[in-house]
Amino acid sequence: MAVNTHRLNCANAQNPGCKCSGCGGSLHGWGGWAKLAVEHPAVRDDRRRVLNGEIQKGRAGELRSNANNRQASLDLARLGIAEHLFATDPRPRTEGRLERDFEVNDRAAMEFDNGRMNILADAIMIDPWDEISRDIDNLVQNEPTAQEIKKGLASHGWCSLLVALIQLIERINKVIGLFTDAAKQAVKKALSNHFTSRISELVKDAVVDIVVDKVWAALTRLLEAHFPLLGADTVRVLRMLAVFACPSVERHRDVYQHAVVPLLGDAEGFIAEDVKAQVITLFTAWWQRNGPEPAL
């Protein structure tokens, strides 16, 4: 089977959507934003100037309701999240930058959002991917089909899984509830619903089992390392990760409803008011034109 390849433009979410069979969506988007969150503030200032310059307005100064503006406004919100991760990271700066490495056994790293988010992302998205990829290769024994399956996972597979975890954690108050068979089946259903690939239902179910089983094993290891799997802090960083990773929020209503909107309303106010207003205005108009508006 071919060796996985993953392009930088996928990590940086430079193209709309994600069709990267090299990462199957497990590295899409969030890696670029996580890197931006440890850069010197001037780097984020430059990104903000570029994004603000991309916002299109009509002759009367009104915000145009188009895909370009939805993407740019959402990226400005993502940039606000990256600013928050940088500002609340207590570690010393080196020439204005932060280190990117976080260890799951570093208790101090679990105490702030940047550490929590990166530890979670490494554990449930990066670390299991090679095994997931090999298991898919072994399952189908056909390289084009394996690549097609991985591209299917890249299309909202991981952000669907993250939203399912968010909803699950919000409903339970004891960690034992996270590891029930019913909880696992709920996550499998969420992934299956957003898994787009021209394969049989039998193969699809087997792929979903592979992914969720590996993620469940990763969650178990996090629990063993005393990572705080429950609570508002974990839900918040899972939301950040889902927003960073989603290849197209305007095509994924659940990410908007369960990740974007709560982050816009976060009490810490790390997303600027003008950006909040732009996102809400643009996406409210979008949902009204494209089916029932999500319940907020």
Short mmCIF file of all heavy atoms in Angstrom, two decimals, residues 124-181:
data_model
loop_
_atom_site.label_atom_id
_atom_site.label_comp_id
_atom_site.label_asym_id
_atom_site.label_seq_id
_atom_site.Cartn_x
_atom_site.Cartn_y
_atom_site.Cartn_z
N ILE A 124 -6.07 11.75 20.35
CA ILE A 124 -7.21 11.13 19.67
C ILE A 124 -7.20 11.32 18.16
O ILE A 124 -7.97 10.65 17.46
CB ILE A 124 -8.56 11.62 20.26
CG1 ILE A 124 -8.80 13.11 19.97
CG2 ILE A 124 -8.63 11.34 21.73
CD1 ILE A 124 -10.16 13.60 20.46
N MET A 125 -6.32 12.20 17.65
CA MET A 125 -6.30 12.42 16.20
C MET A 125 -4.96 12.05 15.57
O MET A 125 -4.92 11.30 14.59
CB MET A 125 -6.67 13.88 15.89
CG MET A 125 -8.09 14.21 16.33
SD MET A 125 -8.56 15.94 16.11
CE MET A 125 -8.90 15.99 14.35
N ILE A 126 -3.87 12.57 16.11
CA ILE A 126 -2.56 12.27 15.49
C ILE A 126 -2.12 10.84 15.78
O ILE A 126 -1.82 10.07 14.86
CB ILE A 126 -1.48 13.25 15.99
CG1 ILE A 126 -1.72 14.65 15.42
CG2 ILE A 126 -0.10 12.78 15.58
CD1 ILE A 126 -0.66 15.65 15.77
N ASP A 127 -2.02 10.50 17.05
CA ASP A 127 -1.41 9.23 17.43
C ASP A 127 -2.11 8.01 16.84
O ASP A 127 -1.43 7.06 16.41
CB ASP A 127 -1.34 9.11 18.96
CG ASP A 127 -0.39 10.14 19.57
OD1 ASP A 127 0.42 10.73 18.82
OD2 ASP A 127 -0.45 10.36 20.80
N PRO A 128 -3.45 7.96 16.79
CA PRO A 128 -4.09 6.75 16.25
C PRO A 128 -4.08 6.65 14.72
O PRO A 128 -4.41 5.59 14.19
CB PRO A 128 -5.54 6.85 16.76
CG PRO A 128 -5.56 7.97 17.75
CD PRO A 128 -4.45 8.86 17.37
N TRP A 129 -3.75 7.74 14.01
CA TRP A 129 -4.01 7.75 12.58
C TRP A 129 -3.24 6.67 11.81
O TRP A 129 -3.80 6.02 10.94
CB TRP A 129 -3.75 9.12 11.96
CG TRP A 129 -3.88 9.04 10.47
CD1 TRP A 129 -2.91 9.20 9.52
CD2 TRP A 129 -5.07 8.70 9.73
NE1 TRP A 129 -3.41 8.99 8.26
CE2 TRP A 129 -4.75 8.68 8.36
CE3 TRP A 129 -6.39 8.41 10.11
CZ2 TRP A 129 -5.67 8.38 7.37
CZ3 TRP A 129 -7.31 8.10 9.11
CH2 TRP A 129 -6.95 8.09 7.77
N ASP A 130 -1.96 6.49 12.11
CA ASP A 130 -1.20 5.49 11.35
C ASP A 130 -1.81 4.09 11.49
O ASP A 130 -1.90 3.34 10.51
CB ASP A 130 0.27 5.47 11.81
CG ASP A 130 1.05 6.65 11.26
OD1 ASP A 130 0.58 7.29 10.30
OD2 ASP A 130 2.14 6.95 11.79
N GLU A 131 -2.24 3.76 12.71
CA GLU A 131 -2.89 2.46 12.92
C GLU A 131 -4.22 2.38 12.18
O GLU A 131 -4.54 1.36 11.57
CB GLU A 131 -3.11 2.21 14.41
CG GLU A 131 -1.98 1.48 15.11
CD GLU A 131 -2.42 1.03 16.49
OE1 GLU A 131 -3.07 -0.04 16.59
OE2 GLU A 131 -2.13 1.75 17.45
N ILE A 132 -4.99 3.45 12.25
CA ILE A 132 -6.28 3.49 11.54
C ILE A 132 -6.05 3.29 10.05
O ILE A 132 -6.73 2.51 9.39
CB ILE A 132 -7.01 4.82 11.81
CG1 ILE A 132 -7.49 4.88 13.27
CG2 ILE A 132 -8.18 5.00 10.85
CD1 ILE A 132 -8.01 6.25 13.68
N SER A 133 -5.07 4.01 9.52
CA SER A 133 -4.77 3.92 8.10
C SER A 133 -4.35 2.51 7.70
O SER A 133 -4.84 1.97 6.68
CB SER A 133 -3.65 4.91 7.75
OG SER A 133 -3.33 4.85 6.39
N ARG A 134 -3.49 1.89 8.49
CA ARG A 134 -3.06 0.52 8.19
C ARG A 134 -4.22 -0.46 8.26
O ARG A 134 -4.35 -1.37 7.43
CB ARG A 134 -1.94 0.08 9.14
CG ARG A 134 -0.58 0.69 8.84
CD ARG A 134 0.52 -0.03 9.58
NE ARG A 134 0.36 0.03 11.02
CZ ARG A 134 0.86 1.00 11.78
NH1 ARG A 134 1.55 2.00 11.23
NH2 ARG A 134 0.69 0.99 13.09
N ASP A 135 -5.09 -0.29 9.26
CA ASP A 135 -6.24 -1.19 9.39
C ASP A 135 -7.20 -1.06 8.21
O ASP A 135 -7.79 -2.05 7.77
CB ASP A 135 -6.98 -0.91 10.70
CG ASP A 135 -6.23 -1.46 11.92
OD1 ASP A 135 -5.19 -2.11 11.72
OD2 ASP A 135 -6.69 -1.22 13.05
N ILE A 136 -7.36 0.17 7.71
CA ILE A 136 -8.20 0.37 6.53
C ILE A 136 -7.57 -0.31 5.32
O ILE A 136 -8.25 -0.98 4.53
CB ILE A 136 -8.42 1.88 6.26
CG1 ILE A 136 -9.31 2.48 7.36
CG2 ILE A 136 -9.04 2.10 4.88
CD1 ILE A 136 -9.40 3.99 7.31
N ASP A 137 -6.26 -0.16 5.17
CA ASP A 137 -5.54 -0.84 4.07
C ASP A 137 -5.76 -2.35 4.14
O ASP A 137 -6.01 -3.01 3.12
CB ASP A 137 -4.05 -0.53 4.13
CG ASP A 137 -3.72 0.91 3.80
OD1 ASP A 137 -4.57 1.61 3.22
OD2 ASP A 137 -2.60 1.36 4.14
N ASN A 138 -5.63 -2.89 5.33
CA ASN A 138 -5.79 -4.34 5.51
C ASN A 138 -7.23 -4.79 5.30
O ASN A 138 -7.49 -5.91 4.85
CB ASN A 138 -5.31 -4.76 6.90
CG ASN A 138 -3.82 -4.59 7.08
OD1 ASN A 138 -3.06 -4.66 6.11
ND2 ASN A 138 -3.39 -4.35 8.32
N LEU A 139 -8.16 -3.91 5.63
CA LEU A 139 -9.58 -4.25 5.49
C LEU A 139 -9.99 -4.40 4.03
O LEU A 139 -10.67 -5.37 3.67
CB LEU A 139 -10.45 -3.17 6.16
CG LEU A 139 -11.96 -3.31 6.01
CD1 LEU A 139 -12.48 -4.49 6.81
CD2 LEU A 139 -12.66 -2.02 6.43
N VAL A 140 -9.58 -3.46 3.19
CA VAL A 140 -10.09 -3.46 1.81
C VAL A 140 -9.12 -4.07 0.80
O VAL A 140 -9.54 -4.50 -0.28
CB VAL A 140 -10.46 -2.02 1.36
CG1 VAL A 140 -11.56 -1.47 2.22
CG2 VAL A 140 -9.24 -1.11 1.40
N GLN A 141 -7.82 -4.11 1.13
CA GLN A 141 -6.82 -4.75 0.26
C GLN A 141 -6.84 -4.20 -1.17
O GLN A 141 -6.60 -4.92 -2.13
CB GLN A 141 -7.05 -6.27 0.23
CG GLN A 141 -6.82 -6.96 1.56
CD GLN A 141 -5.34 -7.02 1.92
OE1 GLN A 141 -4.51 -7.46 1.14
NE2 GLN A 141 -5.01 -6.57 3.11
N ASN A 142 -7.16 -2.93 -1.30
CA ASN A 142 -7.20 -2.31 -2.62
C ASN A 142 -6.85 -0.83 -2.43
O ASN A 142 -7.60 -0.10 -1.77
CB ASN A 142 -8.58 -2.48 -3.24
CG ASN A 142 -8.72 -1.78 -4.58
OD1 ASN A 142 -9.01 -0.60 -4.64
ND2 ASN A 142 -8.49 -2.53 -5.66
N GLU A 143 -5.75 -0.40 -3.01
CA GLU A 143 -5.25 0.95 -2.73
C GLU A 143 -6.22 2.06 -3.12
O GLU A 143 -6.47 2.97 -2.31
CB GLU A 143 -3.90 1.17 -3.41
CG GLU A 143 -3.26 2.49 -3.04
CD GLU A 143 -1.87 2.65 -3.63
OE1 GLU A 143 -1.14 1.64 -3.71
OE2 GLU A 143 -1.52 3.78 -3.99
N PRO A 144 -6.80 2.06 -4.33
CA PRO A 144 -7.75 3.13 -4.66
C PRO A 144 -8.94 3.18 -3.72
O PRO A 144 -9.41 4.26 -3.35
CB PRO A 144 -8.17 2.79 -6.10
CG PRO A 144 -7.04 2.00 -6.65
CD PRO A 144 -6.54 1.18 -5.49
N THR A 145 -9.45 2.01 -3.34
CA THR A 145 -10.59 1.98 -2.41
C THR A 145 -10.18 2.50 -1.04
O THR A 145 -10.93 3.26 -0.40
CB THR A 145 -11.14 0.55 -2.28
OG1 THR A 145 -11.50 0.06 -3.56
CG2 THR A 145 -12.36 0.52 -1.36
N ALA A 146 -8.99 2.13 -0.58
CA ALA A 146 -8.51 2.61 0.71
C ALA A 146 -8.37 4.13 0.70
O ALA A 146 -8.75 4.81 1.67
CB ALA A 146 -7.17 1.96 1.04
N GLN A 147 -7.86 4.67 -0.40
CA GLN A 147 -7.72 6.12 -0.50
C GLN A 147 -9.08 6.80 -0.52
O GLN A 147 -9.27 7.86 0.09
CB GLN A 147 -6.92 6.48 -1.75
CG GLN A 147 -5.44 6.14 -1.65
CD GLN A 147 -4.66 6.55 -2.88
OE1 GLN A 147 -5.24 6.68 -3.98
NE2 GLN A 147 -3.38 6.75 -2.73
N GLU A 148 -10.03 6.20 -1.21
CA GLU A 148 -11.38 6.75 -1.25
C GLU A 148 -12.02 6.76 0.13
O GLU A 148 -12.69 7.73 0.53
CB GLU A 148 -12.25 5.93 -2.21
CG GLU A 148 -13.69 6.40 -2.34
CD GLU A 148 -13.80 7.77 -2.99
OE1 GLU A 148 -12.91 8.16 -3.76
OE2 GLU A 148 -14.80 8.46 -2.70
N ILE A 149 -11.79 5.72 0.91
CA ILE A 149 -12.32 5.65 2.28
C ILE A 149 -11.71 6.74 3.14
O ILE A 149 -12.40 7.42 3.91
CB ILE A 149 -12.05 4.26 2.88
CG1 ILE A 149 -12.97 3.22 2.23
CG2 ILE A 149 -12.26 4.27 4.40
CD1 ILE A 149 -12.63 1.78 2.58
N LYS A 150 -10.40 6.93 3.02
CA LYS A 150 -9.72 7.94 3.82
C LYS A 150 -10.17 9.35 3.44
O LYS A 150 -10.30 10.22 4.30
CB LYS A 150 -8.20 7.78 3.68
CG LYS A 150 -7.69 6.49 4.31
CD LYS A 150 -6.25 6.21 3.93
CE LYS A 150 -5.84 4.80 4.35
NZ LYS A 150 -4.46 4.46 3.93
N LYS A 151 -10.43 9.55 2.16
CA LYS A 151 -10.98 10.84 1.74
C LYS A 151 -12.39 11.04 2.30
O LYS A 151 -12.78 12.16 2.65
CB LYS A 151 -11.01 10.93 0.22
CG LYS A 151 -9.64 11.09 -0.43
CD LYS A 151 -9.75 11.14 -1.95
CE LYS A 151 -8.37 11.26 -2.59
NZ LYS A 151 -8.48 11.29 -4.07
N GLY A 152 -13.15 9.95 2.38
CA GLY A 152 -14.48 10.03 2.98
C GLY A 152 -14.42 10.42 4.44
O GLY A 152 -15.24 11.20 4.93
N LEU A 153 -13.44 9.88 5.16
CA LEU A 153 -13.25 10.28 6.57
C LEU A 153 -12.88 11.75 6.67
O LEU A 153 -13.27 12.44 7.62
CB LEU A 153 -12.15 9.44 7.21
CG LEU A 153 -12.50 8.01 7.63
CD1 LEU A 153 -11.25 7.28 8.09
CD2 LEU A 153 -13.56 8.01 8.74
N ALA A 154 -12.11 12.23 5.68
CA ALA A 154 -11.66 13.62 5.71
C ALA A 154 -12.82 14.60 5.56
O ALA A 154 -12.72 15.75 5.99
CB ALA A 154 -10.63 13.86 4.61
N SER A 155 -13.90 14.15 4.96
CA SER A 155 -15.05 15.03 4.76
C SER A 155 -15.96 14.99 5.98
O SER A 155 -16.95 14.26 6.01
CB SER A 155 -15.81 14.60 3.50
OG SER A 155 -16.93 15.43 3.29
N HIS A 156 -15.57 15.72 7.00
CA HIS A 156 -16.37 15.90 8.22
C HIS A 156 -16.41 14.70 9.16
O HIS A 156 -17.19 14.69 10.11
CB HIS A 156 -17.81 16.31 7.88
CG HIS A 156 -17.89 17.62 7.15
ND1 HIS A 156 -17.62 18.82 7.75
CD2 HIS A 156 -18.19 17.90 5.85
CE1 HIS A 156 -17.76 19.80 6.87
NE2 HIS A 156 -18.09 19.25 5.70
N GLY A 157 -15.54 13.71 8.92
CA GLY A 157 -15.52 12.57 9.83
C GLY A 157 -15.02 12.94 11.22
O GLY A 157 -15.67 12.65 12.23
N TRP A 158 -13.88 13.61 11.28
CA TRP A 158 -13.29 13.91 12.59
C TRP A 158 -14.05 14.98 13.35
O TRP A 158 -14.22 14.89 14.57
CB TRP A 158 -11.82 14.30 12.42
CG TRP A 158 -10.98 13.11 12.09
CD1 TRP A 158 -10.59 12.69 10.86
CD2 TRP A 158 -10.49 12.13 13.02
NE1 TRP A 158 -9.88 11.52 10.95
CE2 TRP A 158 -9.79 11.16 12.26
CE3 TRP A 158 -10.56 11.99 14.40
CZ2 TRP A 158 -9.17 10.05 12.86
CZ3 TRP A 158 -9.95 10.89 14.99
CH2 TRP A 158 -9.26 9.94 14.22
N CYS A 159 -14.51 16.01 12.65
CA CYS A 159 -15.27 17.05 13.38
C CYS A 159 -16.61 16.49 13.86
O CYS A 159 -17.11 16.90 14.92
CB CYS A 159 -15.43 18.32 12.56
SG CYS A 159 -15.92 18.09 10.84
N SER A 160 -17.18 15.53 13.13
CA SER A 160 -18.41 14.87 13.60
C SER A 160 -18.13 14.08 14.87
O SER A 160 -18.93 14.09 15.82
CB SER A 160 -18.95 13.93 12.52
OG SER A 160 -19.33 14.64 11.38
N LEU A 161 -17.01 13.40 14.89
CA LEU A 161 -16.62 12.62 16.07
C LEU A 161 -16.41 13.55 17.27
O LEU A 161 -16.84 13.26 18.38
CB LEU A 161 -15.35 11.83 15.75
CG LEU A 161 -14.89 10.79 16.77
CD1 LEU A 161 -14.16 9.66 16.04
CD2 LEU A 161 -13.95 11.39 17.81
N LEU A 162 -15.76 14.69 17.03
CA LEU A 162 -15.50 15.64 18.12
C LEU A 162 -16.81 16.21 18.67
O LEU A 162 -16.97 16.33 19.89
CB LEU A 162 -14.61 16.78 17.62
CG LEU A 162 -13.16 16.38 17.30
CD1 LEU A 162 -12.45 17.51 16.56
CD2 LEU A 162 -12.39 16.04 18.58
N VAL A 163 -17.74 16.55 17.78
CA VAL A 163 -19.03 17.08 18.24
C VAL A 163 -19.78 16.02 19.05
O VAL A 163 -20.42 16.33 20.07
CB VAL A 163 -19.88 17.57 17.05
CG1 VAL A 163 -21.33 17.84 17.48
CG2 VAL A 163 -19.28 18.84 16.47
N ALA A 164 -19.70 14.77 18.61
CA ALA A 164 -20.35 13.69 19.37
C ALA A 164 -19.75 13.57 20.77
O ALA A 164 -20.49 13.36 21.75
CB ALA A 164 -20.22 12.37 18.62
N LEU A 165 -18.44 13.71 20.88
CA LEU A 165 -17.80 13.68 22.20
C LEU A 165 -18.24 14.86 23.05
O LEU A 165 -18.48 14.72 24.25
CB LEU A 165 -16.28 13.68 22.05
CG LEU A 165 -15.62 12.38 21.57
CD1 LEU A 165 -14.13 12.59 21.38
CD2 LEU A 165 -15.89 11.25 22.56
N ILE A 166 -18.34 16.04 22.43
CA ILE A 166 -18.80 17.24 23.15
C ILE A 166 -20.19 16.99 23.73
O ILE A 166 -20.44 17.24 24.93
CB ILE A 166 -18.83 18.46 22.20
CG1 ILE A 166 -17.41 18.91 21.86
CG2 ILE A 166 -19.62 19.62 22.82
CD1 ILE A 166 -17.33 19.85 20.67
N GLN A 167 -21.10 16.51 22.91
CA GLN A 167 -22.47 16.28 23.37
C GLN A 167 -22.53 15.20 24.44
O GLN A 167 -23.32 15.30 25.39
CB GLN A 167 -23.35 15.90 22.18
CG GLN A 167 -23.54 17.03 21.18
CD GLN A 167 -24.39 16.60 19.99
OE1 GLN A 167 -23.94 15.86 19.12
NE2 GLN A 167 -25.63 17.06 19.97
N LEU A 168 -21.69 14.20 24.29
CA LEU A 168 -21.64 13.11 25.27
C LEU A 168 -21.16 13.62 26.62
O LEU A 168 -21.78 13.35 27.67
CB LEU A 168 -20.71 12.01 24.75
CG LEU A 168 -20.53 10.77 25.62
CD1 LEU A 168 -21.85 10.07 25.84
CD2 LEU A 168 -19.53 9.82 24.96
N ILE A 169 -20.06 14.37 26.63
CA ILE A 169 -19.50 14.89 27.89
C ILE A 169 -20.47 15.86 28.56
O ILE A 169 -20.58 15.89 29.79
CB ILE A 169 -18.13 15.54 27.62
CG1 ILE A 169 -17.11 14.47 27.22
CG2 ILE A 169 -17.64 16.30 28.86
CD1 ILE A 169 -15.79 15.02 26.73
N GLU A 170 -21.19 16.64 27.75
CA GLU A 170 -22.16 17.58 28.33
C GLU A 170 -23.29 16.85 29.05
O GLU A 170 -23.91 17.41 29.96
CB GLU A 170 -22.73 18.47 27.23
CG GLU A 170 -21.77 19.54 26.74
CD GLU A 170 -22.38 20.41 25.66
OE1 GLU A 170 -23.06 19.86 24.75
OE2 GLU A 170 -22.19 21.63 25.71
N ARG A 171 -23.57 15.61 28.65
CA ARG A 171 -24.70 14.87 29.22
C ARG A 171 -24.34 14.06 30.45
O ARG A 171 -25.25 13.63 31.18
CB ARG A 171 -25.30 13.93 28.16
CG ARG A 171 -26.03 14.61 27.05
CD ARG A 171 -26.94 13.63 26.32
NE ARG A 171 -26.20 12.50 25.78
CZ ARG A 171 -25.72 12.44 24.54
NH1 ARG A 171 -25.88 13.46 23.72
NH2 ARG A 171 -25.07 11.37 24.11
N ILE A 172 -23.06 13.79 30.67
CA ILE A 172 -22.69 12.91 31.77
C ILE A 172 -21.90 13.68 32.84
O ILE A 172 -21.31 14.71 32.57
CB ILE A 172 -21.85 11.71 31.27
CG1 ILE A 172 -20.54 12.19 30.65
CG2 ILE A 172 -22.64 10.87 30.27
CD1 ILE A 172 -19.62 11.06 30.20
N ASN A 173 -21.93 13.15 34.06
CA ASN A 173 -21.19 13.80 35.13
C ASN A 173 -20.21 12.86 35.83
O ASN A 173 -19.55 13.24 36.78
CB ASN A 173 -22.14 14.41 36.17
CG ASN A 173 -23.11 13.39 36.73
OD1 ASN A 173 -22.87 12.18 36.65
ND2 ASN A 173 -24.21 13.87 37.29
N LYS A 174 -20.12 11.62 35.34
CA LYS A 174 -19.14 10.68 35.88
C LYS A 174 -18.40 10.03 34.70
O LYS A 174 -19.02 9.68 33.69
CB LYS A 174 -19.81 9.60 36.73
CG LYS A 174 -20.38 10.13 38.03
CD LYS A 174 -20.95 9.00 38.87
CE LYS A 174 -21.49 9.53 40.20
NZ LYS A 174 -22.07 8.45 41.05
N VAL A 175 -17.10 9.89 34.84
CA VAL A 175 -16.30 9.40 33.72
C VAL A 175 -16.73 8.00 33.29
O VAL A 175 -16.57 7.63 32.12
CB VAL A 175 -14.80 9.44 34.08
CG1 VAL A 175 -14.43 8.32 35.03
CG2 VAL A 175 -13.95 9.40 32.82
N ILE A 176 -17.31 7.23 34.19
CA ILE A 176 -17.75 5.89 33.83
C ILE A 176 -18.80 5.94 32.71
O ILE A 176 -18.91 5.04 31.89
CB ILE A 176 -18.28 5.12 35.07
CG1 ILE A 176 -18.46 3.65 34.73
CG2 ILE A 176 -19.56 5.75 35.59
CD1 ILE A 176 -18.77 2.79 35.95
N GLY A 177 -19.58 7.04 32.68
CA GLY A 177 -20.60 7.19 31.65
C GLY A 177 -20.02 7.37 30.26
O GLY A 177 -20.70 7.11 29.26
N LEU A 178 -18.77 7.82 30.21
CA LEU A 178 -18.13 8.01 28.92
C LEU A 178 -17.75 6.70 28.26
O LEU A 178 -17.62 6.63 27.04
CB LEU A 178 -16.87 8.88 29.12
CG LEU A 178 -16.10 9.33 27.88
CD1 LEU A 178 -16.97 10.19 26.98
CD2 LEU A 178 -14.85 10.09 28.29
N PHE A 179 -17.58 5.66 29.06
CA PHE A 179 -17.06 4.41 28.53
C PHE A 179 -18.11 3.29 28.47
O PHE A 179 -17.78 2.12 28.45
CB PHE A 179 -15.85 3.97 29.35
CG PHE A 179 -14.67 4.88 29.15
CD1 PHE A 179 -14.39 5.89 30.05
CD2 PHE A 179 -13.87 4.75 28.02
CE1 PHE A 179 -13.32 6.75 29.85
CE2 PHE A 179 -12.79 5.60 27.82
CZ PHE A 179 -12.52 6.60 28.73
N THR A 180 -19.38 3.67 28.44
CA THR A 180 -20.44 2.68 28.26
C THR A 180 -20.55 2.33 26.78
O THR A 180 -20.15 3.09 25.89
CB THR A 180 -21.79 3.22 28.75
OG1 THR A 180 -22.14 4.36 27.95
CG2 THR A 180 -21.73 3.61 30.21
N ASP A 181 -21.14 1.18 26.52
CA ASP A 181 -21.34 0.77 25.13
C ASP A 181 -22.30 1.72 24.42
O ASP A 181 -22.12 2.02 23.23
CB ASP A 181 -21.89 -0.66 25.07
CG ASP A 181 -22.01 -1.17 23.65
OD1 ASP A 181 -20.97 -1.29 22.97
OD2 ASP A 181 -23.15 -1.43 23.20
#
